[in-house]
Every structure is written in C-alpha cells, then in structure tokens.
Amino acid sequence: MDSEDDMLDAHVMGSGEDDFYSGGGSDDDYNESDDEPDYGFVEEELDDSVMIASHRSQMNYVVLKEEDIRRLQMDDIGRVSMVLSITQAEATILLLHYHWSVSKVHDEWFADEERVRKAVGILERPLVSTPDGGELTCGICFESFLPEEIVSLSCGHPFCSTCWAGYISTTINDGPGCLMLKCPEPSCPAAVGQDMFEKFASKEDKEKYYKYFLRSYIEDNRKMKWCPAPGCEHAIEFAAGTSNYDVSCLCSRSFCWNCTEEAHRPVDCHTVAQWIRKNSAESENMNWILANSKPCPKCKRPIEKNHGCMHMTCTPPCKYEFCWLCLNAWTAHGERTGGFYACNRYEAAKQEGLYDEAEKRREMAKNSLERYTHYYERWASNQTSRQKALEDLQKTRLEKLEKLSDIQCTPESQLKFITEAWLQIIECRRVLKWTYAYGYYLPDHDKKQFFEYLQGEAESGLERLHKCVEKELEAFLTAEGPSDDFNHFRTKLTGLTSITKTYFENLVKALENGLADVDTTQGASSNSTNSKSSKTKGVKGKGSSKNGGSSKNSDGN
C-alpha cells in the first residue's frame, strides 16, 4: 500500500496567459490516449504542519477566544501601569477612557498629566477634608459611622459599605455604563476603579461587570469585531493593509469583517447592501402588481387575470363588469366589438396611441421583474446548493470516511482529499452565488458578455467537481473490497479540486478588478484598428502619387 506522502500528489499548474483559469496550456495537456483526464501530478512530500503554518501565514486576521481577549487586556493594563507608575485600577480607568488605545494613553499622559487626571477622574488630592476623630456621615443614607466603616475614593467623599454595594449593584444592572462609573456625590469627577467592584459587587454582579469589561475591549477597538454568528463568543482581530475582508471564525462562520454580512467576495460591500435591500424591499412586490394586474376602472383595486375571456367582474362589493383590454364597461361590448376573447375598441384605441403610456409602463415593470427574478432565483439556488454541500460534508465526515477507510483498507488520514473537495465546493458555491448579485448591477454590455462567459465556465467546472465527489465516490462506498481504480479516483478528484480552486481564484480577481481585461482588449483592438487604418491610408497615398506621376508622363508624351 502506498505511503501517505506518495498518495498526496501536487498539481502542477501552467503559467501561460492564454487560458484564463488554468494558467495556460491546451486541453490536450490533460488528456491521455484512453480519453481519461491526466492532471499532470508529480510526487511531492507534504507535511501537515507546514501546510497549516503556510495557510496561517497568509491570513490577515486572528481569531480570538475569550481567554485570548482577557490575556490581551491584562497585557495592556500591565504595560500602562508599569510605564506610568500607577496602579492597575488606575491604568484600567485610563484605558477605558481612551478606548483601550495604549499609545493614546501614553501620548496624552506625557503631554499633560494633570489635565488627563482631571479628565478621567484619577485625582491626586482629595476634594474634601476628613476630620481626624469622631463619626462620619454617609453621603447617601445620612447615617453616622465610625471612620473604619466609611469607604471613600480619591475625592474623599464618605459613603458606607451598604450604600456602596447598592450603588454599584444598581449601575451594573443598568448596563455597560457601569464601566465609566463616577463617585456617588453629584458633580464629583472621581472615577470608581475596578477594585471597588471587586470589593462590593455580588458574585452575580461581578459576572455581569466582567462581561461588559471584556466586550468593551473588542467594541472600542477599531481593529477587532465580534463574530456575528448567534451564540459565538469569538472575536476577530483584523490586520490593516489588505482589501480582502473575508474572514472565517472557529465556529465555521465566514463573514465580511468590513460590513459583518456573510463573506461576499468578489462583490463589494456597497453592492451587497443594495442587493439585500432589494431582496427585502416592497418595490419588487409593486413591480409584480404593476406587471401582472390592472386596476378596476371603478374601485381601483388591482385585479390579476390568469386565464379565460376578456369579460372581468370585480369582487364584491364592487361587482363592476368591464373589458380586460380596454377597461371600458362590458355593457358596451358584444359580437360587434370582437366577442369575449378580443376587443376591437382596444385595438383601435391602441393604434391611436391612447394606451401607449400605460402599456409601456407595464412592459417596463414586467421586464424589470423578469430580470430581477432571473438573478435572484440563481442567487438563491446557489445558496441552497451550498447549504446542501455543508450537510453532505458533515455526513461525509461522520459516516462515509470511516466506511470508505474500512472498504478500501486506507487510513482516514489519507482520505483528506475528499473533505478538501467538499470544502472547495462550499467556497465555490458562495462565490458563484454572489456573482449573480455582481451581474445584476453590471451595466456595461461588453463586460456583461464576458462576465456571463466566465460565469458559465465557472459553473461547468464546479459541476464537474461536484459530480466527481458526489456520484463517482458512491461506487467505492458500495464496493465489496479494495478497488484498483481508487488511486485513479483520488488523483482525478485532487486534480479537479486544484483546477477548480485556481479557476475560481482567478475569477474573483477578475471581477474585483472590474473585468479590466475587457477594457485592455478593447483598447488594444482600437489601437490595432487605428494603426491598420493609418497604414492603409499611407499605402493609398503612395499609390496615387505613383499613378499621378505616370499619368503626367503619359500626357506629356
């Protein structure tokens, strides 16, 4: 039996410019004498850890778990506390005020420490003096307490432990505003530090507080966002300097980091927003009503005619009878106007142009609706196919791989090419789905023709891969024992996966570049035409000069 390294072959892609997707080479490069495709594989040692490291090095984002976020928070707090020589509670107050920007804290602090202290509520001296002896009065309940029973912030305002506990509990239950809590004394700027929450909050309230505290680190940071999947508590830290905003969370949710909608390359966020609004807007309902119905001439309610003659009767209580074509009362119709299935009045009025505007508006609405329906149905169909592929992948992982491993006497680790094929199908379905939104808003006629050609080729390639992994795999799942053709199937499926991946990557790049190849081709064609035209004119001028000379000589003789 072949080793794992021998069975995992790498597809060698060409680098020519003739073939848009495969990177060059003619179809004959992939064919053998038995008419079976040969994908040009060579043996190459592959190490999983190297592949994973390479993949991660190409990622422009990091998925953060809850423990990662807490570690980053504590690192920032510790750094600020050490550099500024302040307590961690004071460092936390500063970072919350400056939205967790360590550099901003440092810049502001060293520029004007006194101003920053006043702004955030870290006071150096108390605002009120505390008497040396005797009891103190709580500023909330106005009860008298011994000095050791009173707790004050840096401002010095005295409050008892019971009132502090009630004050902190109330603000925590009011929401995230507790993170910026100030002294209970009205108009006092002193900030309440995290140490006070630790001291006076109940266990339940502490859980809420630290949940707000954790979320503030992500929500105040422009480079981080929460995963929008329901129930997911992971965050994404995004690296600037790239135009690819598609990210994938550990929960398997892929989304656009920029707009938080589902991943939508090659379509930009503005187009996605337009498409989503259009799908949910009432405008398409109105277009359908306008295209497929007419208002009753009496009560103006829209009426749809799906079959039958031209004699229409409105629903009660109106019950008005009229002609569907000309919208006049049916009492004026009969055999002389064309009977039940025609209307001479309508034809005559139409020739006079009386119905042109209404018919034109209805025809435009119908065309618009048909065009939208064409793209939407295919967009939704690819979404359904993608969901089905996700289910098939799950079924393959849970059931089919183990069964196939037993039948073909092959370790499951050597069957990864099957799951990789399914993952590629899922990604291609996503891309293909959004190409229909791209096509709907593509106005250029020349680019549209090129786009539809590329889209059609992409669909054909994806269907070949889908058929191979879905249909051809079944023969090996139902086999009695190991099959000699399984290695050929593995090579073929791995090749199709590689080709399809390259195919769709180039398609995405082309669409993101606005199909610039069309403009380049048109420009080159135009320059070529102008060049040929100028050359032709030059030849003609030369010829006429010669003819003219010989003509004169002829006359002279």
Side-chain angles (χ1 to χ4, degrees), residues 429-456:
R429 286 292 177 196
R430 182 194 64 76
V431 171
L432 200 55
K433 178 182 82 167
W434 285 109
T435 61
Y436 284 99
Y438 185 99
Y440 182 79
Y441 292 104
L442 187 63
D444 193 310
H445 178 68
D446 293 323
K447 286 186 177 182
K448 202 173 193 69
Q449 286 184 322
F450 184 45
F451 162 76
E452 288 174 352
Y453 166 76
L454 297 181
Q455 191 182 49

Side-chain angles (χ1 to χ4, degrees), residues 454-470:
L454 297 181
Q455 191 182 49
E457 292 295 306
E459 286 180 333
S460 299
L462 179 55
E463 289 302 328
R464 284 194 294 272
L465 175 61
H466 208 151
K467 179 182 177 182
C468 183
V469 74
E470 190 174 43

Side-chain angles (χ1 to χ4, degrees), residues 165-176:
Y167 178 61
I168 286 177
S169 178
T170 301
T171 53
I172 289 176
N173 286 292
D174 283 345

